[in-house]
Amino acid sequence: MISATVLSNGVRIITEQLSGVRSVSLGIWVNAGSRNDPPRGSGIAHFTEHMLFKGTSRRSALQIAKEIDALGGHLNAQTAKEYTLYYTKVLDEHLLKASDILFDLFLNAEINPEELEKEKKVVLQEIRMTEDTPDDYITDLFAEAFFHDTPLGISILGSIDHVSAFNRDSIVDFIRTSYSPESIIVAGAGNLEHRDLVELATPLFHEIPKRSGRYNKQVSDRLSGARKVCYRDIEQVHFTLGATGSAMNDDRRWTYIVLNTILGGSMSSMLFQEAREVRGLVYSIYSYLNAYRDCGALAVYAACTPENVNRTLEVVSAQIARLKTGDIKDVSMEDIKTQIKGNLLLARESTVNRMSSMAKNEMYYGREVTMDEVIERIQAVSRDDVVDLAGEIFLEENLTLVALGRIKEEDLVWPPVS
């Protein structure tokens, strides 16, 4: 059962008490991510996340690391397109100490200018590392092509020029405008009492003042297609093909989940079986969903040698055409739904996943979305629903194709998906 308390300034505290576990996962969620980076400050949300670990008035960065390690726990953070998460996982007996560390770094970060200059070097290395990792870099290239000049098309890490220009005022200003109390959720899952977390968090979080001025730009849920090829002298060509996906509040997101699972969501999927198992064209191929508050993308990723690119694209095109024409009678809808159900329920054995699911439901829907409700909605998806959706989204003029590797645009052949 999920319990919730809303402080007078809008900070939300939510918990799920789980019997039979010894761990507690505690997270601070901020409804601000890279899409809230100001136009001339790409990467500021991610850089802010880094700086909050660089020391407070009570602890140095080294002390933060040593104290959480001494508990046998984990302390980490993540910046996404629409949120930033700071979290820890510890044994239940260490909740008091772990929460003190987590709350301290979130609320009392010093943003020391010397530490900031050192951390800029670290993040610049992270950017270069991503660019040297093709299966990561293709994700950024695809987002840039698919979402065009919107904030969702810009890398979470930001650009080298923008990160190099950050200073203490940049971080303080981003926190002042974006870390408003109504956008903050303190979430805990595991062997904990709701009242205990409320007692720990309230004296600290109720003093956060109201803030305004956050950069926020809507994105159209109908984006035209694009084609982009980036030549690079590497062994494989990595490509991503994308179509319109569901927004977080789209009633058809359940159909998207089923369609994605059928197309490329597992080893038994259409793409994996045909491209890898039957034809041996690739080692890695899959499809995935990215859903945001006002739009989304459904994408296919694959990596293969240059001579196999067009043959792999033929396979992708053929499988999409099968979906559009309803040629999926060999697909057991019952098995697909059982697979999704199993994945969802197994994930719930992790207190981190439980904490994350609870916080995201609060962030996007403002309520608890039970697993029974999710499974019921998945079960209600029909074969016709999947075919109709495929016919609507897989239109050639709306497809975006991005490739990275030893191939030129004129050599890339995209077969029709009629």
Side-chain angles (χ1 to χ4, degrees), residues 358-415:
M358 176 175 56
K360 287 180 182 178
N361 285 336
E362 177 64 29
M363 185 179 298
Y364 286 105
Y365 310 120
R367 66 179 183 89
E368 177 185 1
V369 180
T370 67
M371 192 52 55
D372 286 344
E373 178 183 346
V374 172
I375 293 171
E376 181 181 349
R377 297 298 295 270
I378 293 293
Q379 291 290 353
V381 175
S382 69
R383 191 183 304 269
D384 287 344
D385 292 334
V386 172
V387 173
D388 290 345
L389 180 61
E392 178 182 334
I393 66 173
F394 289 123
L395 301 175
E396 288 190 48
E397 62 270 21
N398 293 334
L399 295 179
T400 292
L401 176 61
V402 177
L404 172 69
R406 286 188 287 119
I407 193 167
K408 298 177 180 178
E409 185 168 349
E410 58 265 29
D411 298 326
L412 198 63
V413 179
W414 170 241

Side-chain angles (χ1 to χ4, degrees), residues 169-181:
D169 288 343
S170 308
I171 308 302
V172 171
D173 186 61
F174 183 76
I175 293 173
R176 180 183 59 79
T177 58
S178 300
Y179 280 39
S180 190

Side-chain angles (χ1 to χ4, degrees), residues 138 141-148 223-231 238-242 309-310 313-314 317 395-404 407-417:
I138 191 70
L141 293 175
F142 171 74
E144 180 182 306
F146 187 85
F147 292 110
H148 305 299
L223 296 165
S224 59
R227 180 177 293 195
K228 181 177 182 180
V229 175
C230 297
Y231 187 90
H238 301 253
F239 72 80
T240 299
L241 173 78
V309 172
N310 288 329
L313 283 170
E314 287 178 7
S317 174
L395 301 175
E396 288 190 48
E397 62 270 21
N398 293 334
L399 295 179
T400 292
L401 176 61
V402 177
L404 172 69
I407 193 167
K408 298 177 180 178
E409 185 168 349
E410 58 265 29
D411 298 326
L412 198 63
V413 179
W414 170 241
V417 290

Side-chain angles (χ1 to χ4, degrees), residues 78-92:
Q78 173 194 0
T79 303
K81 296 283 188 179
E82 295 187 326
Y83 62 82
T84 306
L85 164 64
Y86 305 85
Y87 71 98
T88 182
K89 181 179 180 180
V90 293
L91 290 175
D92 50 12

Side-chain angles (χ1 to χ4, degrees), residues 318-329 387 390-391 417-418:
Q319 302 313 305
I320 289 175
R322 286 183 59 196
L323 282 168
K324 291 178 65 174
T325 59
D327 182 20
I328 54 171
K329 292 184 172 54
V387 173
V417 290
S418 55

